[in-house]
Amino acid sequence: MFPPPSFFSPHYSNIMVANTEKIKRLASYLNFKCRISITDGRIFIGTLICIDKNKNIILGQTEEIRGDESRPVGLVMIPGKHLVKIEAEDMEVSPLYT
């Protein structure tokens, strides 16, 4: 079911994007390399592509680490309910950016 046509009206444009400091900070991490730990103990390392209001995260060029084993998994979606910790790489100390 599509939303009523009035939903696409310019009068509703402020509802679509919340321009808060936390949203701006989170947006500044897009395209950064991130390490994400989830509830089952796995760790995913990849490029932060997207996050939604439910904290679902999409990573690109991702590597999955389970114990001592790692494997490339490519593009992944991690449900927000499984997030334990998110770490973003610091561009000022990372050798990848110098």
Side-chain angles (χ1 to χ4, degrees):
M1 198 81 207
F2 292 134
S6 62
F7 179 80
F8 295 102
S9 166
H11 302 289
Y12 288 91
S13 63
N14 292 336
I15 295 173
M16 306 279 285
V17 177
N19 210 10
T20 65
E21 288 302 315
K22 290 181 181 181
I23 297 292
K24 288 179 186 176
R25 183 172 178 200
L26 186 58
S28 74
Y29 291 115
L30 292 176
N31 297 317
F32 273 51
K33 192 154 201 144
C34 293
R35 178 190 318 229
I36 298 179
S37 302
I38 63 172
T39 53
D40 67 2
R42 289 182 290 169
I43 297 172
F44 293 91
I45 299 174
T47 304
L48 180 63
I49 294 176
C50 180
I51 186 166
D52 67 10
K53 67 180 181 179
N54 297 319
K55 299 182 209 153
N56 299 317
I57 293 179
I58 296 180
L59 292 179
Q61 301 172 346
T62 308
E63 179 181 3
E64 175 190 16
I65 300 169
R66 184 188 305 229
D68 294 335
E69 298 177 16
S70 68
R71 66 183 183 121
V73 290
L75 188 68
V76 296
M77 192 280 284
I78 302 169
K81 66 182 181 180
H82 295 296
L83 295 176
V84 173
K85 181 165 64 168
I86 303 172
E87 301 169 275
E89 187 169 57
D90 187 350
M91 288 176 49
E92 292 182 10
V93 293
S94 173
L96 294 174
Y97 299 103
T98 56

